[in-house]
Amino acid sequence: MEKKRMKLWKKLLLVVLALLVVFAIFTLRKYIIITKLVNVSKDYVGKTNFVVDTYGLTNDSVTLTKTYYKDGNLLSTSQTFNHNILDERKIIAYNKDDEKIVIIQAGEDKVLLANGNISPVYVNTISEYDDIKFKIPLALTSKLKTEECNNKECYSIELSKDYKIWVEKETGIIIRVMDFTYITNRYYSFDIVKDEDIVKPDISDCKIQ
């Protein structure tokens, strides 16, 4: 009886060890992939000339944003469409040299915020995980697989049941984010923005706040 118990424990131990080896192999594979993505993304982190089209989707609305960015200057136009809202909703942000302007439009009403708060614009990449203290937990806890997203070969990385990103294999750029029920798609074009693309919007019909 004692020998049978010993054999059973040995079998269980072998099964546990086999599972640990498989888990370690899959974790190491994810770590290597994440590291490669981080490395290729570094070529795009410091990009100072690009256009990004962003599509934000929820259950009842769509937000379309087009941003021109060149050497710290930008012009961004964002429109929100919702079947419950009849009036047009639009936000225009303009930042050139030391001048910052934000125009908020709802229907016919347009409000100008001089020196408004404009969020920084950058290429959204996986480079934020460029530290072993971030890469190891990500490799341990995430689900990673190959998927096509927006006609590009990507890795989908599921960080939790409510948060998932799609990273383009070739560039390390995050082209889709799913955060609960909100989905954001981004399309980038590089080195095509000219100075004349970033023009100060007309503010003659705006109320100043």
Side-chain angles (χ1 to χ4, degrees):
M1 180 67 72
E2 196 67 30
K3 287 184 178 180
K4 287 184 177 180
R5 287 180 179 177
M6 288 295 292
K7 287 181 179 180
L8 180 61
W9 276 109
K10 285 182 179 179
K11 289 180 179 178
L12 289 173
L13 183 60
L14 288 172
V15 170
V16 172
L17 287 173
L19 290 174
L20 287 173
V21 169
V22 171
F23 178 77
I25 290 172
F26 275 97
T27 301
L28 179 60
R29 173 182 173 271
K30 288 189 287 183
Y31 184 88
I32 292 171
I33 289 173
I34 291 165
T35 300
K36 287 182 178 179
L37 290 173
V38 167
N39 289 337
V40 298
S41 73
K42 291 178 182 179
D43 291 335
Y44 295 87
V45 172
K47 283 287 187 180
T48 60
N49 187 311
F50 59 86
V51 179
V52 55
D53 291 284
T54 305
Y55 300 83
L57 310 172
T58 63
N59 291 332
D60 57 1
S61 68
V62 178
T63 300
L64 309 179
T65 304
K66 191 176 191 72
T67 302
Y68 295 87
Y69 184 85
K70 183 178 184 291
D71 301 328
N73 300 321
L74 72 86
L75 176 64
S76 179
T77 303
S78 180
Q79 292 178 278
T80 298
F81 303 91
N82 187 316
H83 65 274
N84 294 322
I85 301 174
L86 298 179
D87 293 335
E88 180 183 7
R89 300 295 175 93
K90 181 187 290 186
I91 297 176
I92 300 174
Y94 170 81
N95 181 7
K96 197 164 188 178
D97 300 325
D98 295 327
E99 186 175 18
K100 295 182 180 180
I101 289 173
V102 177
I103 298 172
I104 301 174
Q105 179 178 346
E108 297 299 321
D109 295 326
K110 296 172 70 176
V111 176
L112 169 66
L113 305 179
N115 295 317
N117 185 24
I118 299 177
S119 300
V121 177
Y122 54 89
V123 181
N124 195 23
T125 73
I126 198 171
S127 62
E128 62 186 274
Y129 295 99
D130 187 19
D131 193 310
I132 194 169
K133 67 182 180 182
F134 297 130
K135 285 190 283 188
I136 289 178
L138 185 61
L140 284 169
T141 61
S142 66
K143 296 179 181 178
L144 186 150
K145 62 181 179 179
T146 296
E147 284 187 10
E148 186 175 294
C149 178
N150 298 335
N151 298 318
K152 296 181 181 292
E153 281 294 314
C154 298
Y155 286 111
S156 67
I157 303 175
E158 186 175 332
L159 293 89
S160 70
K161 67 176 183 178
D162 297 317
Y163 192 81
K164 186 175 179 181
I165 62 176
W166 283 259
V167 185
E168 188 180 357
K169 288 184 178 181
E170 186 177 347
T171 63
I173 294 174
I174 300 172
I175 62 173
R176 176 181 290 174
V177 177
M178 183 180 71
D179 190 357
F180 290 92
T181 60
Y182 195 83
I183 298 174
T184 304
N185 290 284
R186 293 184 178 90
Y187 301 84
Y188 290 91
S189 300
F190 295 99
D191 302 321
I192 64 171
V193 182
K194 300 177 182 179
D195 291 334
E196 51 265 34
D197 293 320
I198 302 177
V199 178
K200 183 177 178 180
D202 180 17
I203 60 174
S204 59
D205 56 348
C206 295
K207 299 176 183 177
I208 299 177
Q209 181 171 311

